[in-house]
Amino acid sequence: MQEELVKLVMFGANGPTGRLATEQALAEGHSVTAVTRRPDAFPLSGAGLSVVGADILDPDAVDRAVAGHDAVLSTVGVPYTKEPVTVYSAGTANVVKAMQTHGIRRLVCVSSIGVNYEDAPGEAFIFRKVIVPVLLKMGRPLYEDAARMEDVVRGSGLDWTIIRPAGLFDATTTTDYIVSEPRHPGWFTSRKDLADALVREGVDDRNPGSVVEVITTQGVPSYFQVFMKEALHIGGSKK
């Protein structure tokens, strides 16, 4: 068990996964600086928590937020859009520069399984040929910028880990999820499992210099539910 308490800074802290990861890290006794553009709307409080209002695209604000921490976690995400996306790559470049300036080594970023997607063994035909192509087409601007972000992270010289979740859904408990190098069978990741994996990577320094997938296998939704939520914009798709 990890005994040393860690000072974490969380970008994207006010997103669904960011809030879960922040809550878990605080419950374990770690200190968390939650970075959000809307600090007044951040729902968590308590000892060990600092809430900072900053935009990841503002390099000066990012520099101030990063200073003095042991590790940086990012769950920054945006909904599906047809417009060009730059927040992943440009924002992460600001984070990397700030970490280099302040001598902080550990970086864990959430990306997506849609980056360089490959079919996994055993995927259903309708999923591979109908659902996946629609989702990849809809998410192309996001996935293209997430790929650029991954290039920034790989070239950073930091102790980095990139986490690629599959289709996100909400759950109430952490499961015995799978952490694997791409591409592992499965198209679902609960936000609860993703949050747990994010904290474990950041606190326990697991899988440095690696791209890993987090796959949930228990209590997952149906392909149809994912298609309805993502392809038809029912419920949104932010991390």
Side-chain angles (χ1 to χ4, degrees), residues 161-190:
T161 301
I162 295 169
I163 298 178
R164 292 179 180 172
L168 293 169
F169 69 99
D170 294 321
T172 57
T173 59
T174 302
T175 71
D176 188 18
Y177 57 87
I178 295 168
V179 178
S180 172
E181 293 186 0
R183 171 65 176 92
H184 194 281
W187 186 250
F188 305 101
T189 307
S190 80

Side-chain angles (χ1 to χ4, degrees), residues 6 31 48 57 72 85 98 115-116 170-171 173 198 233:
V6 177
S31 299
L57 296 177
V72 178
V85 175
V115 176
N116 298 326
D170 294 321
T173 59
L198 186 68
H233 289 270

Side-chain angles (χ1 to χ4, degrees), residues 7-9 31-33 64-72 102-104:
K7 295 180 180 179
L8 303 169
V9 57
S31 299
V32 182
T33 296
R64 291 191 295 269
V66 164
H69 291 85
D70 300 316
V72 178
H102 295 285
I104 301 168

